[in-house]
Amino acid sequence: MKRQEFVQILLRRADGKPAARGEAFAPVNIALCKYWGKRDAELNLPVNSSLSVSLGTLGTHTVITFAQAADRIFLNGKPAPKEFAERLSTYFNLFRSKGQFFEVRTENNVPLSMLARLGSGSAARSLYSGFVVWHAGERADGMDSYAEELSGVWNNLRIGILEVSKARKETGSTEGMNRTCETSELYEAWPAQAVCDFDELRTAIAAQDFPMFGKTAENNALAMHATMLAAWPPLCYWKPQSLVLMQKVWQARAGGLDLYFTMDAGPNLKLLFLEKDALTVRKLFPKVQTVCPFS
Ligand code: DP6
């Protein structure tokens, strides 16, 4: 099925007249069980279900209205970079009627390049706060592949953002996962691991079992990166500093600290820890930006 056809089916299901103005906030989400690989690239349907935690008030606020002769896309008050504006306009082509244009004003308060991911698979998880699952689904038309909020609040959970680089990554996630699926022998093992990790994370969240939660998330991230390293040409999103920080986490953990990390397709680390260790973590990583996802 083509994207356009899928959108038409969804639009037919929606009732009511389109509003002249829309406004929404979407939080950044950090995947704990990663989405890596598509079962259908046209419809952006994932191979495996994924699970994330949203970062509270860190995210993007967007206002959308109609425009006159062409789309007008603004990012943080300035005309958006060409590539970003084009990606958004292409996305609007799925919805617009003939001769309809949009003005989009989007404000981003995160140091991560989440906006570039608008219209991405993982963005589906940013519709909700707290823990969110995105079901892979099985149907070819994708009608059973959707995101939903998981019940459960974990008040003393903390996420620490450690930025290693602001630079745009050389290989985007779409290309990275395609290359991995096509060329990495290790990818064969990924769907089964993702299923186990997804279940373990749900159990750990329900029981608020932090060591199980941290271990599963960190191992899931490293397993995903291992599939990329085994791709050809090899894919390594890490910078030397990423590895320095990973070693520091492992060292701290060996010394008894309850500290874990996760990483997406990029060089930055997101630390996972509990409120009781916030001060120790800040001493170890003075540049950490700490987020309370549930407050
Ligand atoms: C490593 O959602 O950016 O962050 O759907 O192709 O646009 P596309 O990919 P994208 O991939 C995210 C990959 C990830 C893991 C995750 O967020 O689950």
Side-chain angles (χ1 to χ4, degrees), residues 29 31 33-36 38 44 50 87 117 119-123 125 173-174 177 224 228 264-265:
N29 79 74
C33 178
K34 312 287 183 189
Y35 144 54
W36 197 244
K38 300 175 199 269
N44 242 355
S50 55
R87 192 166 175 187
R117 297 167 63 172
S120 294
S122 59
R125 295 187 311 244
S173 302
T174 311
M177 63 179 91
M224 175 185 74
M228 302 173 187
D264 287 320

